[in-house]
Amino acid sequence: MGIDLGTCNTLVCVRGEGIVLNEPSVVAVWKGTNKVLQQPDGSLAVGWAAKEMLGKTPGSISAIRPLKDGVISDFEITEALLKYFINKVQGRRFMGGPRVVIAVPSGITAVEKRAVIDSAERAGARRVYLIEEPMAAAIGAGLPVTEATASMIVDIGGGTTEVAILSLADIAQCESVRTAGDDFDEAIINHMKKAYNLMIGEQTSERIKIEIGSAAPVGEETTMEVRGRDMISGLPRKTVVTSEEIRACLQEPISAICETVTRTLERAEPELAADLVDNGITLAGGGALLRGIDKVIADATGLDVRIADDPLTCVARGTATYLESLEEWKSTMESDRDDN
């Protein structure tokens, strides 16, 4: 079983079956406890059910995203999240618990890696391997990572952006920056406060980003009606925002990502840099879907930039490929202990 444990979404793939689960990394719990909320139909409020509650819960319930910047911020809630997803996918497929491959950001510490392993083990995994996200994303995007040529991947997720140059089945240069899709949402929330004195929630901000957000001018400019709470009167209110002003407020996090890409290129060996003139850069992750971001990165680097097919699932598909050839890849993985 391969798991892309993301800040925003968790994807699970099973060897031979592909991606079998794609749900938000959100858990609803009773406030002050780590007891997961049970819904009237008996199911647990995890994933889509919990995401619908974000920003709308009463005082007795909290909808929590237990991963922040790609790493575990709430150990027990993450364990509940993993347990729910593993049990949902497992059914009768695995005897004695599955072997699990989990994609983690390249910049996390040994303590954070240990927390991921412990959470997965306690959630029912028999053995846990960790793969660095840029490697999984590059494999999922179909890049020739095992060949003696440079491949460059920019994986813009929810909590982190992973930038890596890969060659001969390993990472030659890599940088992980905690600026990504969540920062786009935060920039929109702050803009609405400053420009309109309007408080909006995470879900509204994400909807604005998806519907009219862009990194560079693309096609006709559009507008969108936005509803929220007036910061002065405290009453509900609506206003209209334009795609130009949303693009302007996104420039700061986009610039941080472009700087990370150029820094990584500056540190590359000359022969690898030469390969990238022909091979270009591949974008993966949900952030790659922001309109015009490929053009902005191309302008900043002077290289060809393409968006991977189905960028949202690249990391999960990469873990699936690892699973298909687990024995060959074992030497490049991190594992906590020997097989039982």
Side-chain angles (χ1 to χ4, degrees), residues 280-301:
I281 299 170
T282 301
L283 302 185
L289 297 172
L290 184 70
R291 285 176 286 275
I293 197 161
D294 51 339
K295 183 178 183 302
V296 171
I297 294 174
D299 290 345
T301 60

Side-chain angles (χ1 to χ4, degrees), residues 3-331:
I3 301 177
D4 171 14
L5 190 61
T7 307
C8 291
N9 294 292
T10 296
L11 287 83
V12 180
C13 58
V14 173
R15 183 155 53 181
E17 296 182 37
I19 293 166
V20 294
L21 183 142
N22 179 358
E23 294 203 30
S25 305
V26 186
V27 182
V29 297
W30 292 106
K31 199 152 195 171
T33 74
N34 286 320
K35 189 173 183 335
V36 181
L37 179 71
Q38 196 166 26
Q39 298 188 95
D41 62 1
S43 62
L44 295 176
V46 178
W48 289 113
K51 185 175 182 180
E52 289 173 6
M53 300 179 188
L54 275 175
K56 299 179 181 180
T57 55
S60 57
I61 298 169
S62 295
I64 296 171
R65 290 170 60 182
L67 293 115
K68 186 169 173 55
D69 299 330
V71 296
I72 293 173
S73 61
D74 191 312
F75 186 86
E76 290 184 21
I77 303 296
T78 303
E79 188 185 318
L81 181 84
L82 277 170
K83 191 168 194 172
Y84 173 81
F85 288 150
I86 288 173
N87 289 341
K88 188 170 181 178
V89 170
Q90 186 169 328
R92 296 181 182 172
R93 289 184 179 95
F94 308 102
M95 296 297 289
R99 287 188 297 176
V100 175
V101 179
I102 300 180
V104 294
S106 57
I108 71 171
T109 64
V111 173
E112 289 166 337
K113 287 176 181 175
R114 184 75 242 170
V116 174
I117 291 169
D118 287 348
S119 289
E121 280 194 329
R122 289 172 60 174
R126 174 163 52 97
R127 186 177 181 188
V128 183
Y129 297 98
L130 301 184
I131 322 170
E132 292 186 326
E133 273 177 19
M135 176 63 83
I139 293 169
L143 300 183
V145 294
T146 58
E147 297 175 16
T149 185
S151 300
M152 187 166 187
I153 190 84
V154 179
D155 178 20
I156 308 170
T160 59
T161 294
E162 306 279 330
V163 182
I165 300 169
L166 306 105
S167 176
L168 295 169
D170 207 350
I171 294 173
Q173 282 296 338
C174 180
E175 187 165 344
S176 177
V177 62
R178 294 186 178 185
T179 302
D182 284 352
D183 296 272
F184 297 161
D185 296 345
E186 191 64 36
I188 292 170
I189 289 171
N190 290 336
H191 171 74
M192 296 306 294
K193 283 181 190 172
K194 289 176 188 169
Y196 296 99
N197 284 322
L198 194 71
M199 287 279 284
I200 61 169
E202 288 177 30
Q203 297 200 67
T204 301
S205 168
E206 187 178 18
R207 201 159 58 245
I208 295 169
K209 176 181 71 178
I210 292 167
E211 290 188 20
I212 65 170
S214 63
V218 281
E220 194 178 334
E221 301 293 353
T222 54
T223 60
M224 179 179 172
E225 190 175 82
V226 178
R227 297 172 180 84
R229 175 165 58 83
D230 191 293
M231 292 171 66
I232 298 169
S233 70
L235 299 173
R237 180 165 66 85
K238 64 182 180 182
T239 189
V240 174
V241 296
T242 66
S243 53
E244 291 119 307
E245 61 184 294
I246 297 303
R247 181 165 61 249
C249 79
L250 292 175
Q251 288 313 301
E252 190 177 334
I254 289 167
S255 297
I257 290 170
C258 289
E259 285 166 18
T260 305
V261 174
T262 52
R263 269 201 310 273
T264 307
L265 285 165
E266 286 163 6
R267 294 202 305 265
E269 293 292 331
E271 291 295 343
L272 293 175
D275 288 343
L276 291 173
V277 173
D278 291 328
N279 298 345
I281 299 170
T282 301
L283 302 185
L289 297 172
L290 184 70
R291 285 176 286 275
I293 197 161
D294 51 339
K295 183 178 183 302
V296 171
I297 294 174
D299 290 345
T301 60
L303 298 175
D304 291 333
V305 178
R306 76 175 185 94
I307 298 171
D309 296 333
D310 196 5
L312 273 168
T313 64
C314 273
V315 173
R317 283 186 282 125
T319 62
T321 306
Y322 262 82
L323 283 164
E324 296 295 336
S325 334
L326 196 57
E327 296 305 317
E328 290 86 339
W329 286 101
K330 267 185 185 176
S331 62

